[in-house]
Structure formats: C-alpha cells, structure tokens
C-alpha cells in the first residue's frame, strides 16, 4: 500500500489520538561568535609599509659635516651626476639657509624650489652650511636639505658643490623642466 492509497480516515484518527495541537514559538538561534568588524586590509597594509619606509628613511645614518650630498633618480644618466659634482652646470639662482632654524629652513627651501621651477631654472644652489656651529652632533640643515630634496619629484639629481662653490656646505640641485 503506497502513500496515496491510505484511507482518508487514517489522518483523522491520528488527529483525534493526538488531540489539539498548538504551534510552538520560534526558537532563538543558538549564540554565535560575533563576526569581526569589516576593515580595510589593503589600506592598513599600505599605511604599515609607508610607516616602515618613513622609519627606514629617518633611521639611516645622518650625514656628518664633511660628507658630500649625492643623489640621482634612476632615469638620470650617471654622467649627469658627474657633471653636477664637477660644477659644470651653472647655478641660475641661490638660497642661503645660514642662521635659519630647521622649520623655517624647510619652508624656505620648499618655496625656493617651487619658484625656481616656475621660473624655468634647471640648476640652483642651496647653501646649508657645514653645521660646525649648529650646536648638535650632526649638521641639522644639511640633513634636512638632503631629506627634502630626496622626497621631491621635481628634483632630478643633486650633489655637494665643488670647493670653489661652497664645497660640502652647499649643494647643486638639478630640477626637472616644467
């Protein structure tokens, strides 16, 4: 006998045997571990990498008063840096940072580079001094100039000036064209 072959009275007999039925209230779902808050994993990773890069840049050895500043972007040929080191590029403008504190010097340097680029200058000289009278173990302005110049996209290369143009107390900066 199949399911459909049952006598309709069977289901009625079952209901009578059971009695009145009431529906149970819906049970609350079992407690679950709370879901973690959504977070921007890529942004956190980028922030971590940027902070790590910043710490590496700040932790690198400070320049001493006699050390030469030197830097060139990868797209700049090495011979350009050699010519800059020899002073073969004429500085079209000059900024003297002597007697400036670090905060003022940074502002002056950024403004000077901006104006030099707008004027279309290709090479400028920044005099930072050797730091012999700075009152600290390291030349503050020299290290500041080195850090700022490395961060700027408009600076193609820089090198300490030849002795006749200020030596390790000045730097020649090659700027990108506007």
């Amino acid at each position: 006998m199949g399911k459909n072959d049952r006598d309709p009275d069977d289901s009625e007999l079952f209901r009578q045997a059971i009695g009145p039925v009431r529906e149970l209230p819906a049970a609350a779902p079992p407690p679950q571990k709370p879901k973690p808050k959504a977070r921007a994993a890529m942004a956190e990773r980028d922030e971590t990498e940027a902070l790590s890069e910043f710490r590496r840049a700040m932790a690198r050895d400070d320049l001493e008063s006699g050390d030469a500043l030197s830097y060139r972007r990868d797209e700049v040929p090495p011979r350009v840096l050699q010519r800059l080191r020899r002073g073969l590029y004429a500085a079209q403008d000059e900024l003297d940072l002597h007697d400036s504190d670090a905060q003022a010097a940074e502002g002056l340097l950024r403004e000077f580079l901006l104006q030099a680029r707008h004027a279309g200058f290709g090479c400028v000289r920044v005099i930072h001094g050797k730091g012999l009278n700075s009152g600290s173990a390291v030349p503050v302005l020299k290290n500041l100039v080195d850090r700022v110049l490395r961060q700027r996209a408009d600076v193609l290369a820089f090198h300490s000036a030849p002795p006749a143009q200020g030596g390790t107390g000045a730097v020649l900066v090659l700027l990108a064209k506007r």
Side-chain angles (χ1 to χ4, degrees), residues 127-146:
I127 301 170
H128 48 73
K130 295 185 179 187
L132 300 175
N133 299 321
S134 68
S136 70
V138 295
V140 176
L141 294 181
K142 184 174 192 170
N143 283 288
L144 173 93
V145 168
D146 182 57

Side-chain angles (χ1 to χ4, degrees), residues 47-164:
E47 285 292 322
T48 302
E49 287 179 8
L51 182 60
S52 174
E53 182 66 28
F54 177 74
R55 285 188 176 140
R56 265 197 306 277
M58 295 308 288
R60 68 182 188 84
D61 295 334
D62 287 327
L63 296 163
E64 299 294 326
S65 63
D67 293 343
L69 299 179
S70 181
Y71 171 81
R72 77 172 170 83
R73 295 206 177 277
D74 291 336
E75 63 269 15
V76 176
R79 64 178 154 58
V80 171
L81 185 64
Q82 290 172 354
R83 292 176 54 85
L84 194 61
R85 179 176 50 86
R86 292 183 193 135
L88 299 179
Y89 292 102
Q92 296 166 296
D93 201 0
E94 181 175 278
L95 171 68
D96 190 345
L97 296 174
H98 279 113
D99 300 324
S100 298
D101 66 351
Q103 186 175 6
E106 184 171 359
L108 288 169
L109 178 59
R110 289 182 190 282
E111 183 62 28
F112 172 73
L113 293 172
L114 184 68
Q115 289 177 1
R117 183 138 187 253
H118 284 301
F121 296 154
C123 182
V124 294
R125 181 182 307 115
V126 177
I127 301 170
H128 48 73
K130 295 185 179 187
L132 300 175
N133 299 321
S134 68
S136 70
V138 295
V140 176
L141 294 181
K142 184 174 192 170
N143 283 288
L144 173 93
V145 168
D146 182 57
R147 181 179 50 83
V148 170
L149 292 178
R150 286 175 189 272
Q151 292 174 349
R152 294 192 54 106
D154 56 352
V155 173
L156 298 175
F158 61 86
H159 199 286
S160 289

